[in-house]
């Protein structure tokens, strides 16, 4: 596109115009081949942030970003392929055990995941707590693994939706991340590149979520469901609560340990409820189960008869991980210092602040501020109490896992404001508040 046309296209969106498919295509092409300068791409991103995109423009943007790279062709695998995507939360380890549980029910799960950035954790970092576990592989090898074991979890490759890699990096440094159509196109361009038949979205709201406000999360969920369905992938979204962490652990190896408990039928109630709610939608959309209750029964059967655990072990072995470490989780990375945070008063937990707990785990070394930074797989928080539970004065609120007694002490101090205790019983927080199809 000639430079004058680039400027005209940016001006059109700046002034609130509706972009044509050709103009959106040129913008995405410009991001992919470098023919638009970074300042022009960023100006367009800000124009989109301020003026928005309508449904047709969002579909065009998503499809153009998808077409900027290759897609995973899974047509040689005769079974249905389904994935789940979460918008990210605190203690969200669901993918680690959900993928093998669903695969154990006869559906292929080709999961392409991300790393933790900011306050939320990443599936790949959690899996890398297993010595040897490899999340980087060519798509050809990933396809072979899916043919064999029916499940795999790897990282984004440079050839899947490369326009998103470029645009996301610019959004990150130009205050244009929190824009619903841009988030929709960014997430879906990568998910649609997986060659899936169906997709279940876990869209989180609440203080530990990327999108704290329920109304905004609903808007994002509705848009993603519409765009993904229009692109030919049957999609549903669950709106789920992220005011308190999911489950009882935050931190990479600690969360992996909780996922192992889920696969062995010993997982915390809220983690299991979210897993089953997402899994039942995956099986129904895949046409594997006629109804949600039947899907739930099938998932529980896979846990109880050990097939979900076998699938997980198969995935770990296929990706080079040490099966010995998941068979003996006490051999997973352990922090040098463990301390117990005690309640100063008795009563009922009225709030367990997800954001604050995430910040503490991050400060302990569980997360990164810049991409590429090293993390400590062993550190974090475990044995977390949940909203609605009763605690005695001096009872345990959580355990801190730290590299040194200094960082453990600082974490204990910061965690004091993460828990609120009142005299009266309060109900447990709901896990799923709405299903959008
Ligand atoms: N995750 C993504 O992949 N893209 C976004 O824009 C936001 C969250």
């Amino acid at each position: 596109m000639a430079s004058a046309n680039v400027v005209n296209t940016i001006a059109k969106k700046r002034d609130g115009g509706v972009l044509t498919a050709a103009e959106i295509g040129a913008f995405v092409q410009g991001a992919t081949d470098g023919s638009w300068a970074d300042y022009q791409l960023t100006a367009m991103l800000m124009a989109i942030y301020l003026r928005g995109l309508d449904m047709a423009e969002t579909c065009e943007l998503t499809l153009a970003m998808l077409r900027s790279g290759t897609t995973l062709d899974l047509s040689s695998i005769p079974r249905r392929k389904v994935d789940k995507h979460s918008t990210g939360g605190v203690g969200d380890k669901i993918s680690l055990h959900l993928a093998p549980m669903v695969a154990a029910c006869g559906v292929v799960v080709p999961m392409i995941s991300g790393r933790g950035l900011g306050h939320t954790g990443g599936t790949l970092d959690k899996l890398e707590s297993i010595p040897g576990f490899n999340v980087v592989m060519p798509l050809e090898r990933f396809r072979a693994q899916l043919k064999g074991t029916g499940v795999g979890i790897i990282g984004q490759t440079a050839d899947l939706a490369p326009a998103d890699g470029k645009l996301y990096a610019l959004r990150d440094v130009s205050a244009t991340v929190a824009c619903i159509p841009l988030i929709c196109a960014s997430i879906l361009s990568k998910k649609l590149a997986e060659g899936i038949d169906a997709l279940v979205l876990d869209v989180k709201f609440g203080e530990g979520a990327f999108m704290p406000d329920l109304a905004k999360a609903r808007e994002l969920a509705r848009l993603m469901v519409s765009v993904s369905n229009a692109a030919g992938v049957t999609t549903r979204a669950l709106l789920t609560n992220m005011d308190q962490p999911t489950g009882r652990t935050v931190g990479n190896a600690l969360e992996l340990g909780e996922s192992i408990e889920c696969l062995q039928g010993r997982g915390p109630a809220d983690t299991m409820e979210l897993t089953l709610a997402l899994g039942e939608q995956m099986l129904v959309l895949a046409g594997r189960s006629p109804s949600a209750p039947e899907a739930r029964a099938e998932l529980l059967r896979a846990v109880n008869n050990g097939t979900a655990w076998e699938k997980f072990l198969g995935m770990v072995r296929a990706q080079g991980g040490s099966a010995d470490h998941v068979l003996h989780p006490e051999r997973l990375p352990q922090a040098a210092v463990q301390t117990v945070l005690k309640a100063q008063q008795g009563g009922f937990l009225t709030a367990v602040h997800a954001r604050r707990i995430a910040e503490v785990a991050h400060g302990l070394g569980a997360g990164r501020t810049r991409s590429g930074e090293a993390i400590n797989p062993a550190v974090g928080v475990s044995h977390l109490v949940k909203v609605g539970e009763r605690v005695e004065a001096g009872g345990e609120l959580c355990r801190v896992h730290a590299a040194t007694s200094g960082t453990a002490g600082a974490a204990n101090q910061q965690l004091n404001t993460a828990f609120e205790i009142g005299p009266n019983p309060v109900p447990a927080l709901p896990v799923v508040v709405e299903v959008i199809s």
Side-chain angles (χ1 to χ4, degrees), residues 46-330:
M46 185 56 84
I48 292 173
Y49 181 93
L50 295 171
R51 292 296 192 166
L53 294 177
D54 68 19
M55 170 68 189
E57 289 173 297
T58 309
C59 278
E60 283 302 337
L61 179 62
T62 306
L63 294 178
M65 285 167 65
L66 166 67
R67 286 191 297 259
S68 72
T70 54
T71 52
L72 184 57
D73 179 5
L74 297 179
S75 55
S76 59
I77 306 178
R79 281 166 292 153
R80 302 275 287 175
K81 298 105 201 166
V82 185
D83 193 11
K84 184 269 314 185
H85 176 81
S86 156
T87 55
V90 179
D92 183 1
K93 69 279 293 174
I94 302 295
S95 294
L96 310 187
H97 54 274
L98 173 66
M101 272 169 74
V102 170
C105 297
V107 173
V108 175
V109 185
M111 199 174 265
I112 297 183
S113 280
R115 294 197 178 276
L117 192 60
H119 77 280
T120 61
T123 297
L124 303 181
D125 296 323
K126 294 166 199 182
L127 283 168
E128 283 180 347
S129 307
I130 306 169
F133 195 98
N134 174 26
V135 297
V136 181
M137 69 173 80
L139 291 179
E140 196 44 58
R141 212 179 113 203
F142 189 49
R143 190 172 18 237
Q145 177 178 329
L146 293 169
K147 261 189 186 161
T149 65
V151 60
I153 305 179
I154 59 166
Q156 176 72 17
T157 66
D159 44 358
L160 289 175
D164 179 61
K166 177 71 187 173
L167 293 175
Y168 193 87
L170 293 174
R171 286 168 61 207
D172 202 25
V173 292
S174 62
T176 52
V177 169
C179 169
I180 286 178
L182 291 178
I183 297 171
C184 171
S186 166
I187 293 175
L188 287 182
S189 61
K190 289 174 289 198
K191 287 286 129 180
L192 299 180
E194 288 175 349
I196 45 179
D197 302 297
L199 175 64
V200 176
L201 298 164
D202 179 1
V203 180
K204 298 191 177 293
F205 67 93
E207 66 166 66
F210 179 62
M211 189 124 311
D213 180 59
L214 173 59
K216 288 264 179 234
R218 186 182 287 121
E219 193 184 329
L220 174 63
R222 286 191 177 145
L223 183 64
M224 285 203 289
V225 167
S226 300
V227 171
S228 189
N229 276 316
V233 172
T234 316
T235 302
R236 272 186 201 161
L238 270 54
L239 285 175
T240 68
N241 187 292
M242 189 24 78
D243 281 322
Q244 67 177 343
T246 297
R248 296 193 185 274
T249 53
V250 178
N252 297 292
L254 295 166
E255 292 187 45
L256 173 68
E258 186 176 315
S259 276
I260 290 172
E261 287 172 6
C262 290
L263 286 163
Q264 295 178 343
R266 299 179 285 116
D270 68 320
T271 309
M272 278 312 288
E273 177 50 36
L274 182 54
T275 307
L276 293 168
L278 291 162
E280 63 191 28
Q281 294 296 340
M282 290 170 82
L283 291 185
V284 169
L285 291 192
R288 184 70 185 80
S289 301
S291 71
E294 285 163 275
R296 183 171 285 238
E298 198 169 342
L299 290 161
L300 286 171
R301 225 173 1 256
V303 170
N304 293 335
N305 66 19
T307 50
W309 175 245
E310 285 305 320
K311 272 285 168 211
F312 178 71
L313 276 181
M315 176 177 80
V316 169
R317 289 190 178 111
Q319 295 190 226
S322 161
D324 184 51
H325 284 75
V326 294
L327 287 162
H328 303 278
E330 69 283 0

